Amino acid sequence: MTTKTTGTIKGFIFDLDGVIVFTDKLHYQAWKRMADRLGISFDETVNDRLRGVSREESLDIILENYHGLALGAEEKRRLAEEKNSYYRELLEELTPDAVEEKVKDTLVKLREQGFKLAIGSSSKNAGLILERTGIAGLFDAVSDGNNIQRSKPDPEVFLKAAAFLGLEPGDCAVIEDAEAGIRAAKAGGMFAVAVHSAAGCPLADESLKTFEELLNIG
Ligand code: BG6
Ligand code: MG
């Protein structure tokens, strides 16, 4: 990889689901259970559109393939809650092993190098995930679905994360597996690093093949 920053990076803001921990797979399983119950066609391609977007917006995307009677706000609220309860059942199984050693090692090394680290996640379950995986202590700040009004691709979650770290947006690099997250990072004036399913996204400033390559950025 090449390094394109100007050397001003002082902090890293990490998306959580699909970047630090593979809870994106658990989101998929939970939505799939709900979609199957309603006879809605739902697959990995549709699931890719849900990355980084809020629970409510995700439901609207899934319901594009629902051909039953129109659903009101209360029914949609119940469906979102149904999915969340399936998802939280799955989260109960999470242990510290869910975070790969190379991810933990990289986070520790970045901290040792003096970088500030934050989570920037659209999820309202971020706190539970950090607690169950035992990695909360590796981050200086958490900005998540509980402190935002607008989810990615709006930059709000990342701008709040930078503010929580006491940094300017331009001093931060955002690490994302979602195109919506890369868009949010660029809209916020940050350096956008794409991993996994976002790798190769043309809007990203950098795409990584391995998580450890982060040590070459900044
Ligand atoms: C994001 C996920 O991190 O959080 C999305 O990529 C998810 O798929 C969103 O919809 C909201 O998560 P939650 O846990 O609040 O339903
Ligand atoms: Mg993600």
Side-chain angles (χ1 to χ4, degrees):
M1 63 167 255
T2 53
T3 304
K4 289 181 232 151
T5 67
T6 53
T8 61
I9 299 298
K10 295 178 184 157
F12 287 89
I13 303 172
F14 294 89
D15 173 49
L16 181 63
D17 297 320
V19 170
I20 299 293
V21 59
F22 294 111
T23 35
D24 52 331
K25 296 188 172 38
L26 306 183
H27 275 294
Y28 174 71
Q29 285 174 36
W31 281 125
K32 179 79 180 141
R33 187 169 163 193
M34 187 212 77
D36 284 353
R37 189 183 69 71
L38 295 172
I40 299 173
S41 140
F42 177 62
D43 58 18
E44 299 275 1
T45 311
V46 178
N47 190 58
D48 273 341
R49 293 174 56 204
L50 312 184
R51 292 179 189 276
V53 304
S54 70
R55 194 181 308 162
E56 293 71 22
E57 289 166 284
S58 297
L59 177 63
D60 283 337
I61 291 171
I62 290 169
L63 291 176
E64 288 171 11
N65 290 323
Y66 176 68
H67 305 298
L69 294 174
L71 299 173
E74 179 55 24
E75 286 154 314
K76 290 214 285 190
R77 195 191 57 75
R78 269 200 232 113
L79 288 176
E81 236 175 65
E82 176 184 338
K83 179 268 179 174
N84 195 46
S85 83
Y86 296 153
Y87 180 57
R88 286 180 72 100
E89 270 175 35
L90 296 168
L91 291 183
E92 286 305 321
E93 307 290 314
L94 273 189
T95 67
D97 289 343
V99 183
E100 292 178 289
E101 280 308 316
K102 66 176 183 193
V103 171
K104 279 187 233 181
D105 285 352
T106 303
L107 295 174
V108 167
K109 283 184 184 143
L110 288 171
R111 288 178 70 80
E112 286 169 357
Q113 289 173 16
F115 292 105
K116 298 245 187 224
L117 308 187
I119 290 291
S121 166
S122 303
S123 174
K124 293 187 168 132
N125 291 298
L128 175 63
I129 295 167
L130 292 171
E131 183 197 312
R132 294 218 49 98
T133 54
I135 57 166
L138 291 175
F139 298 94
D140 302 290
V142 175
S143 173
D144 65 19
N146 297 297
N147 62 250
I148 55 169
Q149 303 299 318
R150 298 171 300 282
S151 110
K152 303 166 191 175
D154 188 284
E156 184 181 9
V157 74
F158 295 141
L159 293 175
K160 291 228 164 99
F164 292 162
L165 291 178
L167 296 176
E168 292 299 322
D171 292 336
C172 298
V174 165
I175 323 304
E176 260 294 348
D177 72 319
E179 187 186 321
I182 295 292
R183 283 185 188 282
K186 293 317 295 173
M190 297 160 180
F191 189 79
V193 181
V195 297
H196 306 306
S197 44
C201 173
L203 288 170
D205 295 301
E206 189 70 83
S207 284
L208 302 188
K209 290 200 181 66
T210 69
F211 199 84
E212 303 91 302
E213 284 177 351
L214 271 182
L215 296 167
N216 303 329
I217 288 182

